[in-house]
Coordinates of all heavy atoms in Angstrom, one line a residue:
N1253 N -18.5 16.8 9.6 CA -17.8 15.7 10.3 C -16.5 15.4 9.5 O -16.6 15.1 8.3 CB -18.7 14.5 10.4 CG -18.1 13.3 10.9 OD1 -17.4 12.5 10.2 ND2 -18.1 13.1 12.2
Q1254 N -15.4 15.3 10.2 CA -14.1 15.1 9.6 C -14.0 13.7 9.0 O -13.3 13.6 7.9 CB -13.0 15.4 10.6 CG -12.9 16.8 11.0 CD -12.8 17.8 9.9 OE1 -12.0 17.6 9.0 NE2 -13.6 18.8 9.9
Q1255 N -14.5 12.7 9.6 CA -14.5 11.4 9.0 C -15.2 11.3 7.7 O -14.7 10.8 6.7 CB -15.0 10.3 9.9 CG -15.0 8.9 9.4 CD -15.8 7.9 10.2 OE1 -16.7 8.2 10.9 NE2 -15.4 6.7 10.1
R1256 N -16.4 11.9 7.7 CA -17.2 12.0 6.5 C -16.5 12.8 5.4 O -16.5 12.4 4.2 CB -18.6 12.6 6.8 CG -19.5 12.7 5.6 CD -20.8 13.2 6.0 NE -21.6 13.5 4.8 CZ -22.8 13.8 4.8 NH1 -23.5 13.9 5.9 NH2 -23.4 14.1 3.6
K1257 N -15.9 13.9 5.7 CA -15.2 14.7 4.8 C -14.1 13.9 4.1 O -13.9 14.0 2.9 CB -14.6 16.0 5.4 CG -15.6 17.1 5.6 CD -14.8 18.3 6.1 CE -15.7 19.5 6.4 NZ -15.0 20.6 6.9
A1258 N -13.3 13.3 5.0 CA -12.2 12.5 4.4 C -12.6 11.4 3.5 O -12.0 11.2 2.4 CB -11.4 11.9 5.6
I1259 N -13.6 10.7 3.8 CA -14.1 9.6 3.0 C -14.7 10.1 1.7 O -14.5 9.6 0.6 CB -15.1 8.7 3.7 CG1 -14.3 7.9 4.8 CG2 -15.8 7.7 2.8 CD1 -15.2 7.2 5.8
D1260 N -15.4 11.2 1.8 CA -16.1 11.8 0.6 C -15.2 12.6 -0.3 O -15.5 12.8 -1.5 CB -17.3 12.7 1.0 CG -18.4 11.9 1.6 OD1 -18.5 10.7 1.4 OD2 -19.3 12.5 2.2
T1261 N -14.0 12.9 0.1 CA -13.1 13.8 -0.7 C -11.7 13.2 -0.9 O -10.9 13.8 -1.6 CB -12.9 15.2 0.0 OG1 -12.3 15.0 1.2 CG2 -14.3 15.9 0.1
I1262 N -11.5 12.0 -0.4 CA -10.1 11.4 -0.6 C -9.8 11.3 -2.1 O -10.5 10.7 -2.8 CB -10.0 10.1 0.2 CG1 -8.5 9.7 0.2 CG2 -10.9 9.0 -0.4 CD1 -8.2 8.6 1.2
P1263 N -8.6 11.8 -2.4 CA -8.2 11.7 -3.9 C -7.8 10.2 -4.2 O -7.3 9.5 -3.3 CB -7.0 12.6 -4.0 CG -7.1 13.5 -2.8 CD -7.7 12.7 -1.7
E1264 N -8.0 9.9 -5.4 CA -7.6 8.6 -5.9 C -6.1 8.3 -5.6 O -5.3 9.2 -5.8 CB -7.8 8.5 -7.4 CG -7.6 7.1 -8.0 CD -8.0 7.0 -9.4 OE1 -8.7 7.9 -9.9 OE2 -7.6 6.0 -10.1
G1265 N -5.8 7.1 -5.2 CA -4.4 6.7 -4.9 C -3.9 7.1 -3.5 O -2.8 6.8 -3.2
H1266 N -4.7 7.8 -2.7 CA -4.3 8.2 -1.4 C -4.7 7.1 -0.4 O -5.5 6.3 -0.6 CB -5.0 9.5 -1.0 CG -4.3 10.7 -1.6 ND1 -4.2 10.9 -2.9 CD2 -3.8 11.8 -1.0 CE1 -3.6 12.0 -3.2 NE2 -3.4 12.6 -2.0
V1267 N -4.0 7.1 0.8 CA -4.2 6.1 1.8 C -4.9 6.9 3.0 O -4.4 7.9 3.4 CB -2.9 5.5 2.4 CG1 -3.1 4.6 3.6 CG2 -2.2 4.8 1.2
L1268 N -6.0 6.4 3.5 CA -6.7 7.0 4.6 C -6.2 6.4 5.9 O -6.2 5.2 6.1 CB -8.2 6.7 4.5 CG -9.1 7.4 5.5 CD1 -8.9 8.9 5.6 CD2 -10.5 7.1 5.3
V1269 N -5.7 7.3 6.8 CA -5.1 6.9 8.1 C -6.0 7.4 9.2 O -6.1 8.6 9.3 CB -3.7 7.3 8.2 CG1 -3.1 6.9 9.5 CG2 -2.8 6.8 7.0
F1270 N -6.6 6.5 10.0 CA -7.4 6.9 11.1 C -6.6 6.8 12.4 O -6.1 5.7 12.7 CB -8.6 6.1 11.3 CG -9.8 6.5 10.4 CD1 -10.7 5.5 10.0 CD2 -9.9 7.8 9.9 CE1 -11.8 5.9 9.2 CE2 -11.0 8.1 9.1 CZ -11.9 7.2 8.8
D1271 N -6.5 7.9 13.1 CA -5.9 7.8 14.5 C -7.1 7.5 15.4 O -7.9 8.4 15.7 CB -5.3 9.2 14.8 CG -4.9 9.3 16.3 OD1 -4.9 8.3 17.0 OD2 -4.5 10.4 16.7
C1272 N -7.2 6.3 15.8 CA -8.3 5.8 16.7 C -7.8 5.8 18.2 O -8.5 5.2 19.0 CB -8.7 4.4 16.3 SG -9.5 4.4 14.7
R1273 N -6.7 6.5 18.4 CA -6.2 6.6 19.8 C -5.9 5.2 20.4 O -6.1 5.0 21.6 CB -7.1 7.4 20.7 CG -7.2 8.9 20.1 CD -8.1 9.7 20.8 NE -9.5 9.2 20.6 CZ -10.4 9.3 21.5 NH1 -10.3 9.8 22.6 NH2 -11.6 8.7 21.2
S1274 N -5.5 4.3 19.6 CA -5.2 2.9 20.0 C -6.3 2.2 20.7 O -6.1 1.4 21.6 CB -3.9 2.9 20.9 OG -2.8 3.5 20.2
M1275 N -7.5 2.5 20.4 CA -8.7 1.9 21.0 C -9.2 0.7 20.1 O -10.0 0.9 19.2 CB -9.8 2.9 21.1 CG -9.5 4.1 22.1 SD -10.7 5.4 22.1 CE -12.1 4.5 22.8
A1276 N -8.6 -0.5 20.4 CA -9.0 -1.6 19.6 C -10.4 -2.1 19.8 O -10.9 -2.9 19.0 CB -8.0 -2.8 19.9
E1277 N -11.0 -1.7 20.9 CA -12.4 -2.1 21.2 C -13.5 -1.4 20.4 O -14.6 -1.7 20.5 CB -12.6 -2.1 22.7 CG -12.7 -0.7 23.3 CD -11.3 -0.1 23.6 OE1 -10.3 -0.7 23.3 OE2 -11.3 1.0 24.2
I1278 N -13.1 -0.4 19.7 CA -14.1 0.4 18.9 C -13.8 0.1 17.4 O -12.7 -0.3 17.0 CB -14.1 1.9 19.2 CG1 -12.7 2.5 18.9 CG2 -14.5 2.2 20.6 CD1 -12.6 3.2 17.6
A1279 N -14.9 0.2 16.6 CA -14.7 0.0 15.2 C -14.7 1.4 14.5 O -15.6 2.1 14.5 CB -15.9 -0.8 14.7
G1280 N -13.5 1.7 13.9 CA -13.3 2.9 13.2 C -14.0 3.0 11.8 O -14.3 4.1 11.3
I1281 N -14.3 1.9 11.2 CA -15.0 1.8 9.9 C -15.6 0.5 9.7 O -15.2 -0.5 10.3 CB -13.9 2.2 8.8 CG1 -14.6 2.6 7.5 CG2 -13.0 1.0 8.6 CD1 -13.7 3.3 6.5
G1282 N -16.6 0.4 8.8 CA -17.2 -0.8 8.4 C -17.3 -0.9 6.9 O -16.8 0.0 6.1
A1283 N -18.0 -1.9 6.4 CA -18.1 -2.2 4.9 C -18.7 -1.0 4.1 O -18.3 -0.8 3.0 CB -18.8 -3.5 4.7
M1284 N -19.7 -0.4 4.7 CA -20.4 0.6 3.9 C -19.5 1.8 3.6 O -19.4 2.3 2.4 CB -21.7 1.1 4.7 CG -22.8 0.1 4.7 SD -24.2 0.5 5.7 CE -24.7 2.0 4.9
L1285 N -18.8 2.3 4.6 CA -17.8 3.4 4.3 C -16.6 2.9 3.5 O -16.1 3.7 2.7 CB -17.4 4.0 5.6 CG -18.5 4.7 6.4 CD1 -17.9 5.3 7.7 CD2 -19.1 5.8 5.6
A1286 N -16.2 1.7 3.7 CA -15.1 1.1 2.9 C -15.4 1.1 1.5 O -14.6 1.3 0.6 CB -14.6 -0.2 3.5
R1287 N -16.7 0.7 1.2 CA -17.1 0.6 -0.2 C -17.0 2.0 -0.9 O -16.6 2.1 -2.0 CB -18.6 0.2 -0.3 CG -19.1 0.0 -1.7 CD -20.5 -0.5 -1.8 NE -20.6 -1.8 -1.1 CZ -20.3 -3.0 -1.8 NH1 -19.9 -3.0 -3.0 NH2 -20.4 -4.1 -1.1
R1288 N -17.3 3.1 -0.2 CA -17.1 4.4 -0.7 C -15.7 4.7 -1.0 O -15.3 5.4 -2.0 CB -17.7 5.4 0.3 CG -19.2 5.4 0.3 CD -19.8 6.1 1.5 NE -19.8 7.5 1.4 CZ -20.3 8.3 2.3 NH1 -20.8 7.8 3.4 NH2 -20.2 9.6 2.1
L1289 N -14.8 4.2 -0.1 CA -13.4 4.5 -0.4 C -12.9 3.7 -1.6 O -12.1 4.3 -2.4 CB -12.5 4.0 0.9 CG -12.7 4.8 2.1 CD1 -12.0 4.2 3.3 CD2 -12.2 6.2 1.9
V1290 N -13.3 2.5 -1.8 CA -13.0 1.7 -3.0 C -13.5 2.4 -4.2 O -12.8 2.6 -5.2 CB -13.5 0.3 -2.9 CG1 -13.4 -0.5 -4.2 CG2 -12.8 -0.5 -1.8
Y1291 N -14.7 2.9 -4.2 CA -15.3 3.6 -5.3 C -14.5 4.9 -5.7 O -14.3 5.2 -6.9 CB -16.7 4.0 -5.0 CG -17.4 4.9 -6.0 CD1 -17.9 4.3 -7.2 CD2 -17.5 6.2 -5.9 CE1 -18.5 5.0 -8.2 CE2 -18.1 7.0 -6.9 CZ -18.6 6.4 -8.0 OH -19.2 7.2 -9.0
R1292 N -14.0 5.5 -4.7 CA -13.2 6.8 -4.9 C -11.7 6.4 -5.3 O -11.0 7.3 -5.6 CB -13.2 7.6 -3.7 CG -14.6 8.2 -3.4 CD -14.5 9.3 -2.4 NE -13.7 10.4 -2.9 CZ -14.0 11.4 -3.7 NH1 -15.1 11.3 -4.3 NH2 -13.1 12.3 -4.1
G1293 N -11.3 5.2 -5.3 CA -10.0 4.8 -5.7 C -8.9 4.9 -4.6 O -7.7 5.0 -4.9
C1294 N -9.4 4.8 -3.4 CA -8.5 4.9 -2.2 C -7.5 3.7 -2.3 O -7.8 2.6 -2.6 CB -9.3 4.8 -0.9 SG -8.3 4.9 0.6
A1295 N -6.2 4.0 -2.0 CA -5.1 3.0 -2.1 C -5.2 2.0 -0.9 O -4.7 0.9 -1.0 CB -3.8 3.7 -2.2
G1296 N -5.8 2.4 0.2 CA -5.9 1.6 1.4 C -6.3 2.3 2.6 O -6.4 3.6 2.6
L1297 N -6.4 1.6 3.7 CA -6.9 2.1 4.9 C -6.0 1.6 6.1 O -5.7 0.4 6.2 CB -8.3 1.7 5.1 CG -9.1 2.1 6.3 CD1 -9.2 3.6 6.5 CD2 -10.5 1.4 6.3
V1298 N -5.6 2.5 7.0 CA -4.8 2.1 8.1 C -5.4 2.7 9.4 O -5.8 3.9 9.4 CB -3.3 2.7 8.0 CG1 -2.5 2.3 9.2 CG2 -2.6 2.2 6.7
L1299 N -5.6 1.9 10.4 CA -6.2 2.3 11.6 C -5.5 1.7 12.8 O -5.1 0.5 12.8 CB -7.7 1.8 11.8 CG -8.7 2.2 10.8 CD1 -8.8 1.2 9.7 CD2 -10.1 2.3 11.5
D1300 N -5.3 2.4 13.9 CA -4.8 1.8 15.1 C -6.0 1.6 16.0 O -6.0 1.9 17.2 CB -3.8 2.7 15.8 CG -4.3 4.0 16.3 OD1 -5.4 4.4 15.8 OD2 -3.7 4.6 17.2
G1301 N -7.0 0.9 15.5 CA -8.2 0.6 16.2 C -8.9 -0.6 15.5 O -8.3 -1.3 14.7
G1302 N -10.1 -0.9 15.9 CA -10.9 -2.0 15.3 C -11.6 -1.7 14.1 O -11.7 -0.5 13.7
V1303 N -12.1 -2.7 13.4 CA -12.8 -2.6 12.1 C -14.0 -3.5 12.2 O -13.9 -4.7 12.6 CB -11.9 -2.9 11.0 CG1 -12.7 -2.9 9.6 CG2 -10.7 -2.0 10.9
R1304 N -15.2 -3.0 11.7 CA -16.3 -3.9 11.5 C -16.3 -4.5 10.1 O -15.7 -4.0 9.3 CB -17.6 -3.1 11.7 CG -18.0 -2.7 13.0 CD -19.2 -1.9 13.1 NE -20.3 -2.5 12.3 CZ -21.6 -2.2 12.4 NH1 -21.9 -1.2 13.1 NH2 -22.5 -2.8 11.7
D1305 N -17.0 -5.6 10.0 CA -17.2 -6.2 8.6 C -15.9 -6.5 7.9 O -15.8 -6.3 6.7 CB -18.0 -5.2 7.7 CG -19.3 -4.7 8.4 OD1 -19.9 -5.5 9.1 OD2 -19.6 -3.5 8.2
T1306 N -14.9 -7.0 8.6 CA -13.6 -7.2 8.1 C -13.6 -8.0 6.8 O -12.9 -7.7 5.9 CB -12.7 -7.8 9.2 OG1 -12.8 -7.1 10.4 CG2 -11.2 -7.9 8.7
T1307 N -14.3 -9.1 6.8 CA -14.3 -10.0 5.7 C -14.9 -9.3 4.5 O -14.4 -9.4 3.4 CB -15.1 -11.3 6.0 OG1 -14.6 -11.9 7.1 CG2 -15.1 -12.3 4.8

Side-chain angles (χ1 to χ4, degrees):
N1253 175 272
Q1254 296 303 311
Q1255 179 190 26
R1256 179 177 169 170
K1257 278 185 183 179
I1259 290 170
D1260 288 345
T1261 62
I1262 190 165
E1264 185 173 348
H1266 283 57
V1267 176
L1268 184 57
V1269 180
F1270 278 156
D1271 171 9
C1272 296
R1273 298 173 296 144
S1274 301
M1275 297 174 64
E1277 66 276 7
I1278 58 102
I1281 198 165
M1284 289 174 60
L1285 294 178
R1287 181 177 301 276
R1288 290 164 73 180
L1289 292 171
V1290 170
Y1291 175 79
R1292 294 197 54 82
C1294 179
L1297 179 61
V1298 178
L1299 301 92
D1300 67 339
V1303 177
R1304 287 179 49 167
D1305 312 320
T1306 310
T1307 304

